[in-house]
C-alpha cells in the first residue's frame, strides 16, 4: 500500500526519468525510420518442405522463367502452379503454350477476362466465343478482377455492376464449359478507408496512394453483395473467391458465404497477414471448411516465401514474419495455425485437384 505523499514522490521520480530518456533519444522519430525488433524468445520451426505435395492455385507467372520456377517448385515440394495469366487475346494463347511446353503436368493456366470493347454491342457473345477458344487451348478457369465494379464502364459511361444482368451469359458459359470463375472483387478493407493515422495499412497506402479505393462509387460491402448475387444467380457455375473472397478481415462473412453457397471455394493467397493475426478464428475456419479452401500465394515463386506459408499453416510458431513482409503491408507479425494432416492434405492439394480437369 502506498500513501498519497509517497505516490506523489514516485510520480516525480517517474517524470525525472522520462525527461532523462527524452533528452538522450530522438522522440520525434519518423515512422519510416521505426524498425522495431521483437524481443520475444519463442520456439521456431522453419519448414523446408511441406508435409504433403502442394498445388499453388493462385499465382502470376507471366514474367517468370519456367525452368527456374520448376527448380524452386522442386526445392519446395510444389507439384503444380496455376498461372493466372494477365495476358489477353493472342498473347494469352502464347502464354498458355509457353507453360504447356515447359511442363504440362506442373503448370496450368487460368485466363483473364478481356474487357476490351465492353462498351460495344456484341461484347458478351464475343467474350463467350473467346472463352470457348481459351478452354480448347487448355485454360482451367477464368478470372474476373477488381476492375469490374470499380473502373469498368458500359456504353453509357456508367460503372458496370458486377451483378449486371447483361453479363449473365458469361457465367452460364463457364458452367457449360466446366471451368470455375475466379472473382477478385474489391480489395483489403483498409484500401476503402481514408488514408489517415487510423488506417492499419497507412505506410503501404502512403507509398501507393493509387491502391486506395476510398470514395469509390460502390462501397466494399456493396461490391461483395453484388458478387454474391451473381453466385446465387448461377448455382451451376463454380466460383473461387480469391483472397478468402476478400473477407479475410471478417471471417464471419466468409463463413456465411461458404455456408450459403455450395458452389464457392476460397483461396488464401496474399492473406496470411490477416488470417495469421487471428489464428484461433482462422483455425476454426479451416476446420469448418476443409473441403472449400485452396492453397495459393499470389507472390512471385521464391523459396523463402513458400516456406513461410508452410510454417504458417503447419506449425504453432508465434509472432513471425508473414510471407509478403517485404512489401510492408502493416506493422504486425503472424501466428501459425498448426492445422491437422487431413486438413492440410485437402487445402494443399486435393481441393485444387477437384477444380482441375482430369
Ligand atoms: Zn492475384
Amino acid at each position: 500500500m502506498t500513501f498519497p505523499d509517497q505516490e506523489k514522490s514516485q510520480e516525480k521520480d517517474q517524470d525525472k526519468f522520462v525527461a532523462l530518456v527524452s533528452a538522450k533519444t530522438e522522440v520525434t522519430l519518423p515512422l519510416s525510420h521505426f524498425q522495431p525488433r521483437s524481443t520475444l524468445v519463442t520456439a521456431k520451426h522453419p519448414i523446408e518442405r511441406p508435409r504433403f505435395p502442394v498445388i499453388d492455385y493462385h499465382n502470376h507467372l507471366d514474367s517468370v522463367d519456367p525452368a527456374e520456377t520448376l527448380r524452386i517448385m522442386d526445392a519446395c515440394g510444389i507439384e503444380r502452379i496455376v498461372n493466372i495469366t494477365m495476358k489477353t487475346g493472342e498473347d494469352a494463347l502464347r502464354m498458355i503454350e509457353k507453360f504447356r511446353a515447359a511442363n504440362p503436368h506442373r503448370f496450368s493456366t487460368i485466363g483473364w477476362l478481356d474487357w476490351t470493347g465492353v462498351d460495344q454491342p456484341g461484347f458478351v457473345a464475343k467474350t463467350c466465343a473467346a472463352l470457348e477458344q481459351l478452354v480448347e487451348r487448355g485454360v482451367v478457369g477464368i478470372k474476373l478482377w477488381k476492375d469490374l465494379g470499380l473502373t469498368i464502364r458500359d456504353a453509357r459511361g456508367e460503372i458496370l455492376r458486377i451483378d449486371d444482368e447483361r453479363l449473365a451469359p458469361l457465367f452460364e458459359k463457364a458452367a457449360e464449359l466446366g471451368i470455375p470463375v475466379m472473382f477478385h472483387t474489391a480489395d483489403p478493407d483498409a484500401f476503402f478507408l481514408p488514408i489517415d493515422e487510423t488506417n492499419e495499412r497507412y505506410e503501404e497506402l502512403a507509398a501507393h496512394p493509387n491502391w486506395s479505393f476510398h470514395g469509390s462509387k460502390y462501397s466494399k460491402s456493396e461490391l461483395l453483395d453484388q458478387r454474391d448475387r451473381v453466385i446465387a444467380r448461377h448455382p451451376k457455375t463454380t466460383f473461387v473467391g480469391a483472397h478468402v473472397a476478400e473477407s479475410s478481415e471478417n471471417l464471419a462473412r466468409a463463413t456465411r458465404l461458404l455456408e450459403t453457397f455450395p458452389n464457392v471455394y476460397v483461396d488464401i493467397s496474399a492473406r496470411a497477414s490477416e488470417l495469421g493475426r487471428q489464428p484461433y478464428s482462422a483455425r476454426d475456419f479451416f476446420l469448418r471448411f476443409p473441403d472449400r479452401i485452396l492453397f495459393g500465394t499470389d507472390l512471385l515463386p521464391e523459396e523463402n516465401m513458400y516456406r513461410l506459408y508452410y510454417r504458417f499453416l503447419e506449425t504453432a510458431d508465434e509472432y513471425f514474419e508473414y510471407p509478403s513482409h517485404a512489401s510492408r503491408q502493416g506493422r504486425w507479425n503472424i501466428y501459425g495455425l498448426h492445422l491437422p494432416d487431413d486438413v492440410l492434405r485437402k487445402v494443399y492439394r486435393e481441393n485444387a485437384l477437384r477444380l482441375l480437369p482430369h
Side-chain angles (χ1 to χ4, degrees), residues 201 204 270-274 276-277 299 304-305 308-309 312 319-335:
R201 291 170 80 145
E204 186 183 31
R271 293 297 178 273
S273 67
E274 276 67 46
R277 283 188 286 154
L299 292 167
N304 188 46
M305 179 278 283
L308 279 173
Y309 264 106
F312 165 55
Y319 205 68
F320 54 95
E321 288 189 359
Y322 52 94
S324 40
H325 202 261
S327 67
R328 208 18 118 64
Q329 293 175 342
R331 288 178 175 270
W332 48 66
N333 280 341
I334 62 167
Y335 304 82

Side-chain angles (χ1 to χ4, degrees), residues 77-250:
I78 296 168
E79 177 178 305
R80 184 183 286 267
I81 300 183
V82 177
N83 174 31
I84 303 167
T85 182
M86 297 170 89
K87 306 279 184 196
T88 56
E90 287 296 317
D91 291 342
L93 301 181
R94 270 194 288 278
M95 200 52 74
I96 296 166
E97 184 49 31
K98 170 174 147 186
F99 285 97
R100 202 202 56 76
N103 193 326
H105 307 293
R106 309 290 300 278
F107 297 109
S108 301
T109 303
I110 285 180
W112 191 262
L113 202 111
D114 184 0
W115 294 103
T116 314
V118 63
D119 52 352
Q120 306 293 317
F123 168 78
V124 169
K126 206 185 76 194
T127 304
C128 285
L131 264 184
E132 272 177 20
Q133 190 199 16
L134 284 170
V135 172
E136 263 166 40
R137 299 290 280 266
V139 307
V140 298
I142 185 78
K143 172 154 172 188
L144 276 67
W145 198 46
K146 62 187 171 189
D147 49 359
L148 179 60
L150 283 169
T151 58
I152 290 171
R153 291 172 188 275
D154 67 8
R156 296 196 322 267
E158 300 286 336
I159 297 277
L160 192 59
R161 294 175 63 91
I162 299 167
D163 59 357
D164 192 306
E165 286 286 342
R166 292 171 290 183
L167 299 177
L170 296 178
F171 303 104
E172 291 301 302
K173 185 48 119 182
E176 184 194 313
L177 293 167
I179 55 162
V181 174
M182 182 184 277
F183 263 127
H184 170 170
T185 300
D187 252 345
D189 286 5
F191 292 10
F192 288 80
L193 297 170
I195 308 178
D196 64 17
E197 74 279 10
T198 64
N199 194 309
E200 69 173 356
R201 291 170 80 145
Y202 175 82
E203 284 177 288
E204 186 183 31
L205 287 165
H208 309 278
N210 56 324
W211 291 3
S212 173
F213 295 110
H214 178 56
S216 57
K217 174 168 181 186
Y218 298 117
S219 68
K220 173 163 176 179
S221 95
E222 167 62 13
L223 290 168
L224 297 189
D225 288 347
Q226 289 182 19
R227 176 202 63 195
D228 295 352
R229 282 194 283 274
V230 174
I231 292 169
R233 197 177 66 193
H234 301 279
K236 292 202 190 91
T237 310
T238 300
F239 293 92
V240 176
H243 316 309
V244 197
E246 274 316 338
S247 301
S248 55
E249 298 93 334
N250 181 352

Side-chain angles (χ1 to χ4, degrees), residues 251-252 255 275 277-288 337:
L251 290 177
T255 296
L275 297 170
R277 283 188 286 154
Q278 44 180 330
Y280 310 126
S281 308
R283 190 170 196 278
D284 285 347
F285 182 72
F286 276 81
L287 296 192
R288 191 158 177 175
L337 302 186

